[in-house]
Amino acid sequence: MAGDSRHLFEGTNPGIGAASGADDDAPYFVHDAQALDRAARAFLSGFPGQVTYAVKANPAPVILAGLSRAGITAFDVASPAEMALVRDVAPDAALHYHNPVRSPAEIAAARRHGIASWSIDRPAELDKLGDIAGDEIAVRFKLTVRGAAYDFGAKFGAEPDMAVALLRLVAERGGRPSLTFHPGTQCEGAEPWARYIAAAADIADRAGCRLARLNVGGGFPAHRSGAAPDLQGHFDTITQAATDAFDTPPPLVCEPGRALVADAAQLVLRVKAVDGRTLFLNDGVYGALGEWRDLPAADRVAVVAPDGQPRSGAPVPWRVFGPTCDSVDMLPAPLSLPEDLQDGDRVVIGGMGAYAGSLVTRFNGYGTTRVALPSGTGHRRRAV
Ligand SMILES: *Cc1c(COP(=O)(O)O)cnc(C)c1O
């Protein structure tokens, strides 16, 4: 989980369809600035409140700068390293430190970065913050809600009764009480938000507290398979739920990661060997396909022959291994790829701007997070 985002500018790459060579032998990403801009604008114009970016989805400076240019002025950070990355490209941005468990050294670093918005989910973490006068404290709560690709409630979030008690403590100590939740990631339907927002109104009411803000988390779906998700439908459900649940809805905040940045990169891999219906790629679950252990494989995949032509054979299931010597380095389910795929082909995967580069390890000497910026000539972007 230790991808060094500063690698992201090391080296350049000729891009898809260019001549092969040593540089082209390793995996790389192709940045799509326009797609990043489009996603940011869809959130900024469609979401009924403040849009903050959850930096962990992709901390690359090119991403942070693109979002900042598009008008994102607040960032959800989880560590001092993420704070520093944001400050490098957006010195005046608001930072929300929404990792509810922190060491004293991390709290001190956050104060030096000017953090004035924190989340907590247990009394001891509130105590650790010391003087909170004037700071926003967002109490993170959890419900049992299905619908996300995997469950975030197992680690963080207070039960509703505890959230009531925490809101009261925050108010007593002079903080600005808010509520927050994170419904999971890649939530295909908007129902989790409707349930969480109704519960938030109930918690605030029981605490006798007027919320400074309600942060509805991230978890918005990216386009991974099938049709692109209906983000505006999610926003409309959130607006409606807030109107239904509160007499006067508090200002809303969201903190998407995936849905803002997934389309900002394609991943370009290379087939290293083919053996029957098994193939070896130059990257796998220890690298940019790390998430594919936990989520179903995406279907936005094209296979391109060395001459630049797409393979058009009938799709068949392939067993896919990564490049390391570890037998765990295998996709959990077969991948549907053209039957005429061959050694040396490139495999181009769309929608890989989120949780791909940020999860790359260097295990066994593999794994890179190089990004090609397709501004020059000769790059042919493929729609995947
Ligand atoms: C990871 C995370 C996010 C972003 O989640 P996405 O699924 O990428 O939108 C937002 N908020 C919190 C608290 C998180 O941990």
Side-chain angles (χ1 to χ4, degrees), residues 292-293 296-297 317-320 330-336:
W292 290 27
R293 261 179 316 203
W318 290 84
R319 189 153 72 132
V320 178
M330 177 181 139
L331 294 188
L335 199 57
S336 180

Side-chain angles (χ1 to χ4, degrees), residues 39-357:
R41 288 177 202 282
F43 267 92
L44 288 168
S45 65
F47 181 77
Q50 185 188 35
V51 180
T52 72
Y53 170 56
V55 172
K56 75 172 187 280
N58 187 335
V62 69
I63 294 285
L64 300 176
L67 290 174
S68 180
R69 257 197 314 277
I72 303 274
T73 57
F75 294 80
D76 167 32
V77 291
S79 62
E82 288 187 352
M83 294 166 204
L85 281 167
V86 176
R87 284 279 176 254
D88 276 354
V89 298
D92 302 324
L95 302 179
H96 298 172
Y97 191 1
H98 280 187
N99 183 340
V101 173
R102 312 170 187 88
S103 71
E106 288 171 333
I107 291 169
R111 292 229 156 90
R112 286 196 296 277
H113 281 291
I115 299 249
S117 176
W118 318 74
S119 81
I120 55 148
D121 66 355
R122 60 202 79 201
E125 290 299 314
L126 180 60
D127 295 345
K128 248 193 219 171
L129 290 177
D131 178 9
I132 56 163
D135 281 5
E136 177 183 36
I137 308 291
V139 173
R140 167 103 171 245
F141 72 100
K142 68 174 170 192
L143 305 173
T144 316
V145 173
R146 271 202 276 274
Y150 49 92
D151 178 18
F152 271 62
K155 184 165 180 189
F156 292 131
E159 300 289 346
D161 288 350
M162 174 58 83
V164 169
L166 286 169
L167 276 183
R168 289 189 181 134
L169 272 180
V170 169
E172 274 168 36
R173 294 182 190 181
R176 293 164 50 228
S178 290
L179 280 171
T180 187
F181 58 84
H182 178 54
T185 198
Q186 189 69 19
C187 296
E188 297 291 349
E191 297 73 32
W193 280 274
R195 278 200 54 203
Y196 266 106
I197 290 168
D202 184 56
I203 290 167
D205 194 47
R206 285 167 58 204
C209 157
R210 191 179 181 85
L211 297 180
R213 301 200 279 188
L214 173 60
N215 186 322
V216 302
F220 299 89
H223 182 193
R224 300 187 78 252
S225 295
D230 172 22
L231 277 183
Q232 190 58 48
H234 281 66
F235 302 153
D236 294 344
T237 299
I238 288 168
T239 305
Q240 188 62 50
T243 309
D244 291 347
F246 291 90
D247 292 334
T248 309
L252 299 181
V253 184
C254 66
E255 48 189 23
R258 180 189 305 283
L260 270 176
V261 298
D263 275 342
Q266 294 184 343
L267 174 65
V268 184
L269 306 180
R270 187 177 276 280
V271 178
K272 294 180 75 174
V274 174
D275 180 3
R277 282 286 154 76
T278 294
L279 65 88
F280 291 76
L281 290 175
N282 62 352
D283 204 9
V285 296
Y286 289 105
L289 299 180
E291 251 203 333
W292 290 27
R293 261 179 316 203
D294 305 310
L295 300 185
D299 71 2
R300 298 172 67 191
V301 183
V303 178
V304 183
D307 66 2
Q309 293 305 309
R311 297 283 183 203
S312 55
V316 295
W318 290 84
R319 189 153 72 132
V320 178
F321 288 116
T324 72
C325 290
D326 190 316
S327 54
V328 170
D329 190 3
M330 177 181 139
L331 294 188
L335 199 57
S336 180
L337 295 172
E339 64 181 350
D340 55 344
L341 167 156
Q342 284 177 34
D343 191 355
D345 286 355
R346 292 184 190 81
V347 176
V348 183
I349 309 175
M352 292 297 279
Y355 303 112

